[in-house]
Amino acid sequence: MDNAFPNGDGAARPARPRVVIAPDSFKGTASAAEAARAIAGGWASVRPFDELVLRPMADGGEGTLDAFAAAVPGAERRAVVVTGPAGGEHTADWLLLPDGTAVVELAATSGLTLLDRPRPFEASTRGFGEAIAAALDAGASGLLLALGGSGSTDGGTGALAALGARFLQADGESIAPGGAGLEELDRVELDGLRALPPGGATILGDVTNPLLGREGAAAVFGPQKGADAAAVARLERGLDRLARMTPGGAELAAAAGAGAAGGTGFALLAWGARMRGGAAAVAEAIGLDAALGGAGLVITGEGRYDRQSAAGKAPSEVAARAAVAGVPVDLVAGRIDAGTGGFRAAASLSSLAGSGARAMADPLAWLRAAGVELARSR
């Protein structure tokens, strides 16, 4: 990860004013690092003598593994072949940190972007569980489990099945993969689950939604994964069935973050993992607070800024830390669907481009344009 963006003429200059650029990825179009560099390029074209400090962010979703890999010296990527979200083989990475902790990212193993098309009933988290198992087999002393970017609503049954749990029909056969299989569920057996590593497992979530209800996994996130109203109702019934049949399920279903990744948060809580905000963990790993010291501005962003953005997403974490440091914040987003009153300025790529389709066709160019617009407003 670049720590600073070069000034216009390459010469060393006083490090004032300092602008920290800390966006999340723009899902499916630009990584956090690519977004940060594009915004920085636009800003530098207007204000070439500012010190630009790049700190690409993540919040438990797509890019979390990359953020840790860039921020932690000595981190080692390990390749693993897992079951893709719709079946078949998929090659992904998990990350071994120098202290023995493994970072496993659901988006990289069972994510929505890995599907050829949305599959609200068939997509499974099994590959995520297989990657966790690979990390345990390699001797990981602890687990950081990044949950954003899921392509499924299977309540995490695929992941736990890969770790030794059994989700059975009345005839004793395993349920089908995906959310559809929850309709067949007759009993849950967790006795065969692998033990947690000595350092435990920490869930890096990007949302605080419960498993069930109007703010639950199916209702809020199902439509993003191709579920219409009727499909959402079916998935909700399946998740409710899972909660009723899982030991301690009623309490776990109500926990903040249980609805993350189509209910995978619920499954990992049932395994004994603990919940933590993913954006906070990444911010600490990349040294965001230190970068904000003495800064005059921070720019953050994500693909879509909406009402969920305030519930643990990267922009809200960056803004909260900037507020503590007394640093104003600018926002860049592919699309803005919520109020931006807390930001000094905001730039929407779809507005700059004239449409969402045009913005997505060349996201780096429009991220650069956003940097230009924000610099001119400074």
Side-chain angles (χ1 to χ4, degrees):
M1 178 177 63
D2 293 322
N3 291 322
F5 194 83
N7 289 314
D9 59 5
R13 296 186 181 272
R16 291 293 185 272
R18 177 189 298 172
V19 179
V20 177
I21 302 178
D24 197 352
S25 64
F26 283 59
K27 187 177 295 185
T29 59
S31 70
E34 290 170 338
R37 288 191 63 83
I39 294 167
W43 185 282
S45 71
V46 177
R47 298 175 59 94
F49 304 126
D50 289 353
E51 179 193 9
L52 303 185
V53 179
L54 277 57
R55 291 291 185 270
M57 271 290 291
D59 54 20
E62 179 183 345
T64 298
L65 190 146
D66 291 338
F68 274 94
V72 181
E76 179 184 346
R77 289 182 182 269
R78 299 285 186 91
V80 61
V81 178
V82 300
T83 303
E89 289 188 347
H90 170 68
T91 300
D93 290 338
W94 58 275
L95 190 72
L96 182 64
L97 303 183
D99 67 356
T101 301
V103 183
V104 187
E105 180 186 299
L106 188 146
T109 54
S110 305
L112 182 62
T113 59
L114 303 180
L115 292 166
D116 58 345
R117 58 181 173 82
R119 297 175 182 268
F121 291 110
E122 297 87 6
S124 163
T125 54
R126 184 171 186 88
F128 180 54
E130 290 170 346
I132 295 170
L136 293 175
D137 290 343
S141 60
L143 295 168
L144 294 175
L145 304 175
L147 288 199
S150 163
S152 65
T153 310
D154 71 348
T157 53
L160 288 196
L163 291 167
R166 302 181 73 203
F167 300 92
L168 304 174
Q169 304 175 47
D171 62 4
E173 294 294 317
S174 295
I175 62 172
L182 299 178
E183 297 176 311
E184 309 166 349
L185 186 62
D186 182 70
R187 65 184 184 274
V188 175
E189 297 180 358
L190 303 181
D191 293 348
L193 269 173
R194 296 186 62 157
L196 291 169
T202 300
I203 301 164
L204 303 182
D206 62 351
V207 298
T208 57
N209 303 68
L211 180 67
L212 303 171
R214 292 172 58 185
E215 297 299 318
V220 175
F221 307 115
Q224 300 172 8
K225 302 168 187 179
D228 59 17
V232 165
R234 280 183 63 190
L235 292 168
E236 176 76 6
R237 289 193 296 271
L239 292 173
D240 178 70
R241 191 176 183 88
L242 174 64
R244 287 187 284 106
M245 294 183 180
T246 300
E251 181 179 356
L252 295 175
T264 305
F266 169 84
L268 294 178
L269 289 171
W271 187 30
R274 56 188 180 271
M275 187 71 68
R276 187 186 182 198
V282 173
E284 292 173 10
I286 67 174
L288 181 61
D289 290 340
L292 290 172
L297 180 71
V298 59
I299 302 173
T300 188
E302 63 181 344
R304 179 177 177 179
Y305 185 80
D306 57 21
R307 66 186 184 92
Q308 295 176 26
S309 298
K313 298 286 188 177
S316 65
E317 182 69 24
V318 173
R321 289 172 181 261
V324 172
V327 180
V329 186
D330 284 0
L331 173 71
V332 177
R335 176 174 168 176
I336 297 176
D337 291 329
T340 58
F343 296 97
R344 183 197 73 92
S348 162
L349 304 191
S350 58
S351 295
L352 288 171
S355 70
R358 287 191 66 197
M360 292 182 70
D362 195 358
L364 297 183
W366 294 109
L367 283 161
R368 183 181 174 89
V372 169
E373 178 171 277
L374 295 176
R376 287 174 175 167
S377 72
R378 181 70 168 144

